[in-house]
Amino acid sequence: MTSRPKTIRMLTAACLLAWASLSTCASASTPITIEGAHFIRAGKPHQIISGSMDFQRIPRAYWQDRLRKARAMGLNAITTYVYWNLVEPTPGQFDFSGGNDVAAFVRMARNEGLDVIVRPGPYVCAEWEAGGFPAWLFADPHLHVRTQDPAYLQAVERYFQRLGQELSPLMAARGGPIIAVQVENEYGSYGDDRVYMEDIHQALVSAGLGTGILFTSDGADELRNDTLPGVLAVVNFGTGEAKGAFATLATFRPDQPKMAGEYWAGWFDHWGEVHAQTDAKLQAKELAWMLSQGYSLNLYMFEGGTTFGFMNGANLQGNPTDHYAPQTTSYDYDAPLDEAGRPRPKFAMFRAVIAKATGSTPPPLPSPTPFMDVPAFALPESASLWDNLPTPISVDQPRPMEQFGQAYGYILYRTHVSGAIRGQLYLGDIRDYASVYVDHKLVGTVDRRLKQVSLPVTLDAGTHSLDVLVENTGRINYGPHLADGRAGLIDPARLDGKLLHGWQVYPLPMASPDAIRGWTTQTVDGPAFHRGHFKLATLADTFLDMTAFGKGFAWVNGHNLGRIWDIGPQRSLYLPAPWLQQGDNTVVVFDLRTPEQAVVHGVRQPIWWRSDAKVSQ
């Protein structure tokens, strides 16, 4: 253990003891300042013990429950991202209602005695679609994100100004609970343009978000790339890396407080890989060490939650051996709270560590959230995708979906070709998963994960329809390829070496099941919607077992629960009780494949497995 001066040890212990009762220590609305190597609140050294919980990944009805559980684990602060693409879905049109109401979340945290650290981006990573960047940014081929590009910075400033209207009254300097705001996010792993970083810094100040602590957050090796004078630098690292990361930070910034911006006490999942399970005992040991040193920290994540809808991101590094790797809908993260907000054993371990370090007893956990099984029910109605296509847009060559004003979902490209032909259909850098049909019959798929760019096609004599149905399975959220956020077909298509012209394009954002037509109880082959109902007398959370389906997604009562993919590891979808209703509930599943038996049931635990490896949570 590194020795600290006796006076500092005594002051830190006194503040930690006082923190146990917010009535005897500074309240969550008292600003925190920096004096030398210490955070100071009400004239005393202060240790920030935070956990990450992104409010937009948790149903609003459960925010208070999760915040109370944060206090029950012993946290004194909560950290949250703000996802730009959710609050400004179209340029200049903002939505801070419902699950996007960040001000309501911050006020709720204050009511529970928690400080708040806000990470507004504009880039957030977070295994979130495009790292939080709105898809419409990528519609302009000349706009460059995370640079000094005036068009990009103008969009950022507009977003920050509007966010500031929500949050500047809640800064600690104005009596609110927000003690710190992050400048960009892990930019040091992307670039080293400090002029750009200063642009973001000043945009936050101009929006009224710079009245408290401002900070940058990077891995230990990237600290040198983007830190700013007068702005706190914190360090991010994973399990087993605490001592080395803090040693690097201490060398880099010896005369400032030491804080872990992200201590990765868990990990996320990619489609086609085994569900992540991490070393809770080692994490508890490292947590105890950090607290004993007087270091501040933020656990990433306290609760991961769920990436509902089509909002998962993907990784793609710059190395030749790396591949496109989309993340699952579940953001369980092996966190102290599971995806559904239930404490796992790690919670109790961390709670005991924090209680010992602070000399305090956290408040008790709130009552458990009820869960239920749902008996199996069929989805007897089906509707073909081919009967639910919108009016097409005619183009000579395929274009990415952003060019058609589309952000997420699927997009269909159709042309007609004359046989007989036997050759390769070249689609290029597909974004991201293409199902290819000739006369509505599946002939194969092209998967960006597998670095596929083409497939063999055989056509008989005559004229045939050629359909390329492309799913955006998640824009890249981390790495050098982040800047190219185009989805759909981005290259010209060639058949047997010849360029294909004259395409009809059908945007399919899959925003709602309400307009689906052509329902039938007959078997429908190929890409189709499947509908069924179940009735409830009482409401509780559940996980829908989706193992009957191949690749697609599911709506329940109009809420998009997220993606389905039989490659695993995720084979269930979290369904929160607030999205259910007494009486009739409607499930609609879109599946690229034809299920043998379209049956769903609800279970109390998530289902994790792969075809080649059974894994348990």
Side-chain angles (χ1 to χ4, degrees):
M1 180 187 300
T2 301
S3 176
R4 288 175 289 161
K6 181 177 180 181
T7 302
I8 294 173
R9 292 202 306 269
M10 292 174 63
L11 284 172
T12 303
C15 187
L16 288 172
L17 286 167
W19 164 79
S21 171
L22 289 174
S23 63
T24 58
C25 193
S27 71
S29 61
T30 304
I32 295 174
T33 59
I34 295 174
E35 294 183 13
H38 302 284
F39 294 116
I40 301 295
R41 165 169 271 169
K44 298 179 180 179
H46 180 78
Q47 191 171 28
I48 299 169
I49 308 174
S50 178
S52 281
M53 183 182 80
D54 298 336
F55 68 100
Q56 288 160 300
R57 271 187 163 124
I58 299 168
R60 179 169 178 158
Y62 286 152
W63 289 352
Q64 185 179 65
D65 173 78
R66 307 308 196 255
L67 292 167
R68 288 181 174 176
K69 288 171 179 172
R71 287 281 288 124
M73 199 175 81
L75 302 182
N76 60 13
I78 207 75
T79 296
T80 187
Y81 281 124
V82 180
Y83 301 139
W84 181 9
N85 55 5
L86 289 189
V87 299
E88 192 181 3
T90 57
Q93 301 297 312
F94 290 92
D95 178 11
F96 284 98
S97 65
N100 292 331
D101 193 343
V102 60
F105 176 79
V106 171
R107 288 191 294 267
M108 198 175 294
R110 175 179 57 190
N111 293 342
E112 298 302 325
L114 290 161
D115 291 323
V116 178
I117 298 171
V118 175
R119 308 175 74 184
Y123 164 78
V124 298
C125 186
E127 290 68 61
W128 189 264
E129 227 274 350
F133 285 132
W136 48 261
L137 287 172
F138 303 110
D140 181 354
H142 305 294
L143 186 147
H144 301 285
V145 299
R146 306 187 86 181
T147 71
Q148 298 178 53
D149 183 338
Y152 166 68
L153 290 177
Q154 183 179 29
V156 171
E157 289 166 1
R158 180 180 64 212
Y159 158 55
F160 279 174
Q161 288 293 323
R162 182 62 185 84
L163 182 63
Q165 294 177 29
E166 300 291 320
L167 294 185
S168 62
L170 295 168
M171 298 296 293
R174 299 178 64 178
I178 301 174
I179 58 170
V181 174
Q182 185 181 13
V183 180
E184 239 270 0
N185 179 54
E186 295 182 324
Y187 178 73
S189 64
Y190 185 84
D192 59 3
D193 185 350
R194 281 189 170 80
V195 176
Y196 162 68
M197 285 294 291
E198 186 60 30
D199 287 337
I200 300 300
H201 177 201
Q202 293 305 320
L204 288 167
V205 172
S206 176
L209 300 174
T211 58
I213 296 170
L214 289 167
F215 68 98
T216 58
S217 185
D218 293 281
D221 293 337
E222 289 76 42
L223 288 167
R224 62 184 180 275
N225 291 341
D226 73 332
T227 49
L228 296 172
V231 174
L232 177 71
V234 304
V235 67
N236 299 347
F237 53 88
T239 304
E241 300 173 348
K243 291 184 178 180
F246 273 112
T248 300
L249 179 62
T251 300
F252 182 76
R253 284 279 183 90
D255 298 321
Q256 63 146 59
K258 308 303 182 288
M259 180 170 178
E262 292 183 6
Y263 174 53
W264 304 323
W267 203 242
F268 54 87
D269 296 303
H270 289 124
W271 287 111
E273 299 179 5
V274 176
H275 175 50
Q277 294 176 290
T278 60
D279 190 338
K281 290 183 179 179
L282 178 54
Q283 291 158 4
K285 182 178 179 180
E286 279 193 309
L287 175 60
W289 178 82
M290 287 185 279
L291 293 174
S292 74
Q293 302 302 301
Y295 298 153
S296 291
L297 60 92
N298 174 55
L299 294 169
Y300 191 94
M301 303 288 295
F302 168 66
E303 182 190 4
T306 308
T307 312
F308 294 110
F310 301 132
M311 287 296 155
N312 66 281
N315 284 341
L316 180 58
Q317 304 298 318
N319 301 321
T321 57
D322 291 328
H323 67 281
Y324 169 80
Q327 290 107 22
T328 59
T329 287
S330 172
Y331 199 57
D332 178 89
Y333 210 85
D334 193 32
L337 297 185
D338 73 4
E339 178 185 3
R342 295 175 294 188
R344 50 169 44 105
K346 183 182 295 188
F347 179 98
M349 295 168 67
F350 288 5
R351 186 178 194 268
V353 167
I354 295 170
K356 182 178 179 180
T358 61
S360 64
T361 301
L365 278 164
S367 299
T369 303
F371 273 73
M372 66 180 176
D373 297 311
V374 177
F377 59 95
L379 278 59
E381 299 175 281
S382 298
S384 174
L385 176 68
W386 309 125
D387 296 331
N388 284 277
L389 299 179
T391 302
I393 303 164
S394 298
V395 296
D396 181 61
Q397 294 295 315
R399 302 175 191 168
M401 65 169 57
E402 301 81 18
Q403 296 290 316
F404 303 103
Q406 182 181 350
Y408 313 108
Y410 299 70
I411 186 167
L412 176 68
Y413 302 86
R414 172 176 290 171
T415 190
H416 291 85
V417 292
S418 297
I421 299 173
R422 183 176 184 179
Q424 290 287 318
L425 174 63
Y426 173 80
L427 298 176
D429 186 8
I430 193 76
R431 306 289 181 85
D432 300 295
Y433 185 95
S435 300
V436 179
Y437 305 85
V438 173
D439 299 329
H440 290 179
K441 300 297 182 183
L442 181 68
V443 297
T445 60
V446 179
D447 188 345
R448 187 184 186 188
R449 286 184 320 117
L450 306 179
K451 299 186 177 181
Q452 296 171 340
V453 297
S454 63
L455 79 165
V457 172
T458 300
L459 301 178
D460 297 329
T463 300
H464 306 273
S465 65
L466 175 66
D467 288 313
V468 182
L469 177 60
V470 183
E471 177 188 357
N472 164 16
T473 59
R475 292 181 179 85
I476 293 165
N477 64 266
Y478 182 83
H481 299 281
L482 167 77
D484 184 359
R486 294 173 295 170
L489 292 182
I490 68 169
D491 294 322
R494 298 176 182 273
L495 179 58
D496 198 25
K498 296 180 181 179
L499 191 66
L500 295 176
H501 296 273
W503 293 81
Q504 300 289 302
V505 181
Y506 301 82
L508 298 165
M510 304 293 194
S512 168
D514 294 343
I516 298 171
R517 58 188 181 274
W519 292 105
T520 177
T521 56
Q522 302 299 311
T523 299
V524 174
D525 293 327
F529 304 93
H530 307 279
R531 184 170 67 182
H533 303 266
F534 64 99
K535 294 185 181 298
L536 294 173
T538 59
L539 307 182
D541 286 7
T542 193
F543 289 87
L544 293 185
D545 180 340
M546 307 307 296
T547 55
F549 301 93
K551 183 160 180 34
F553 67 96
W555 284 293
V556 174
N557 297 334
H559 297 276
N560 188 334
L561 300 189
R563 301 185 196 270
I564 302 161
W565 201 349
D566 57 10
I567 64 173
Q570 180 181 358
R571 299 297 280 124
S572 58
L573 290 171
Y574 172 54
L575 175 54
W579 293 357
L580 293 167
Q581 56 198 23
Q582 290 183 327
D584 187 69
N585 293 268
T586 302
V587 177
V588 177
V589 174
F590 175 73
D591 197 349
L592 290 171
R593 302 162 194 170
T594 306
E596 292 184 7
Q597 190 176 19
V599 174
V600 176
H601 68 279
V603 294
R604 295 170 186 258
Q605 297 295 330
I607 301 170
W608 297 100
W609 59 269
R610 271 178 44 188
S611 58
D612 62 342
K614 276 274 188 181
V615 294
S616 59
Q617 189 174 20

